Amino acid sequence: MGYKITAENFDSLLKNLSKEYKIYAPKRFPKQGRYSDTDIVRYDRVYSADEIVHDEKSDYAAKEALSPITETVLYFTDADYRESKVVDDRPMLVFARACDIHSIKRYDDIFLKNGGFEDSYYKRMREKTKFILMECPSKGWDTCFCASMGTGSADEYAFGVKFNGEEVLVETKDSEFNSYFAGNEEMDFLVTPVLENERVVRIPEINDKETQIAVKSLEMWKEFDKRCLMCGSCTVSCSTCTCFTTYDMNYTSDSNAGERRRINASCHVDGYTDMAGNHSFRKTGGERMRFKVMHKIHDHKKRFKEHHMCVGCGRCDDKCPVFISFSTTVNRLAAEVDKLNGGNE
């Protein structure tokens, strides 16, 4: 079943939902973009329909609603500590593209299924989260390659929406929300998946240890030693990067009371792999680029079996200040692997 809802009625619907749910969506922040006089679109709490940016791809991913850039995990004093609590414990509704819904499955792999350990801070947010699927343009945006990654459609959502001028078309899936749509015009509507992008990416088949070792020493990685700034912009904007670090913050310099925070980290930034004795596993831009690419299109699927880590959102290409293209790099790697496997040069 579906509904056609006027913009005014949809706004009222969201305000009614806000009484029971915390609602997150892509939201515009004026003059906070990378360049002067540019805006940024990222996820934040919304209270009305006109706050939702539905006609652009957000600069940052939906993961920020569940896993904030910085969060306090515990408070400590000289003799004791206690875990942080969620102040507003209501369930969440998150407006998300299909690729972003898939990206949360990758987060589930890392935080709930990795080595038999469940991250309680992530789990408490995940269990209370439902998604509202936002329909994309028919071919996505120019840097998208979700069709190549199999993430152009999604199944795990409460209801789907298409913003259509002064109307909003709604596909209902979860009967829990039926009462909110009552009284609006009924119609047949299904969110249209993205089946084709302008950009096509071919994932390399790396099926044996010998090929994996050979990939590690390919000359193509050395090109990034000069190009990559190692700024971390690609990983910060990535839908599926999960790395973080922790630090303790004392409230005053002469006391042992404070809080432990975890903050997003990046494998591209200096210090990420530093160890005692001034040793670092990956020092150059090429080494860090290789690690990221392999993690996204090989390592994750090898470990968890079901899917690659990359969901094809293209945000890394959008955010790179020196125009390094992840999708082009993957296609180059696929060609190099073909050569290693005896294919045409």
Side-chain angles (χ1 to χ4, degrees), residues 187-333:
M187 64 174 295
D188 291 328
F189 172 71
L190 295 174
V191 172
T192 302
V194 177
L195 302 177
E196 179 185 5
N197 304 119
E198 294 179 11
R199 189 167 298 200
V200 178
V201 174
R202 183 167 64 93
I203 305 301
E205 294 291 334
I206 304 173
N207 298 320
D208 55 73
K209 192 69 173 180
E210 291 74 17
T211 304
Q212 189 174 347
I213 292 172
V215 164
K216 188 175 181 180
S217 58
L218 286 172
E219 285 293 315
M220 63 175 282
W221 304 121
K222 294 181 180 179
E223 297 178 20
F224 299 104
D225 290 347
K226 293 182 178 180
R227 288 193 64 195
C228 180
L229 302 178
M230 298 184 285
C231 64
S233 293
C234 56
T235 53
V236 172
S237 62
C238 176
S239 303
T240 61
C241 278
T242 59
C243 294
F244 63 86
T245 188
T246 59
Y247 67 94
D248 291 345
M249 185 192 76
N250 285 49
Y251 293 139
T252 62
S253 60
D254 58 350
S255 72
N256 192 27
E259 58 191 66
R260 176 164 294 174
R261 296 177 178 177
R262 68 177 179 189
I263 184 170
N264 286 4
S266 169
C267 60
H268 271 252
V269 174
D270 280 341
Y272 181 79
T273 62
D274 286 358
M275 297 180 65
N278 201 32
H279 177 73
S280 180
F281 286 105
R282 294 178 292 276
K283 295 182 179 180
T284 68
E287 290 171 335
R288 296 173 187 184
M289 186 70 177
R290 181 199 67 221
F291 176 78
K292 181 188 74 174
V293 170
M294 291 296 290
H295 192 55
K296 299 296 181 182
I297 54 88
H298 178 263
D299 300 345
H300 187 92
K301 187 173 184 179
K302 184 178 180 181
R303 179 176 181 83
F304 294 103
K305 310 304 180 186
E306 188 176 354
H307 39 236
H308 290 294
M309 195 172 199
C310 178
V311 295
C313 71
R315 290 187 177 98
C316 51
D317 285 18
D318 295 331
K319 299 302 289 184
C320 180
V322 293
F323 307 107
I324 291 173
S325 170
F326 178 85
S327 54
T328 299
T329 302
V330 174
N331 280 335
R332 286 186 62 194
L333 179 58

Side-chain angles (χ1 to χ4, degrees), residues 42 60 63-71 236 243-245 261-265:
R42 63 175 179 82
Y60 296 99
K63 68 181 185 182
E64 291 188 12
L66 284 80
S67 181
I69 294 174
T70 303
E71 66 177 321
V236 172
C243 294
F244 63 86
T245 188
R261 296 177 178 177
R262 68 177 179 189
I263 184 170
N264 286 4

Side-chain angles (χ1 to χ4, degrees), residues 7 11 13 23 43 79 109 137 150 158 227 237 341:
D11 186 65
L13 184 152
I23 302 177
Y43 273 77
D109 289 342
R227 288 193 64 195
S237 62
N341 292 331

Side-chain angles (χ1 to χ4, degrees), residues 57 97-100 102 106 136-154 192-203 308 310-314 327 331:
K57 179 169 64 174
R97 308 288 179 185
C99 62
D100 277 326
H102 279 276
R106 281 59 168 172
C136 295
S138 60
K139 292 188 177 184
W141 284 269
D142 59 347
T143 55
C144 297
F145 54 100
C146 56
S148 299
M149 305 308 298
T151 58
S153 62
T192 302
V194 177
L195 302 177
E196 179 185 5
N197 304 119
E198 294 179 11
R199 189 167 298 200
V200 178
V201 174
R202 183 167 64 93
I203 305 301
H308 290 294
C310 178
V311 295
C313 71
S327 54
N331 280 335

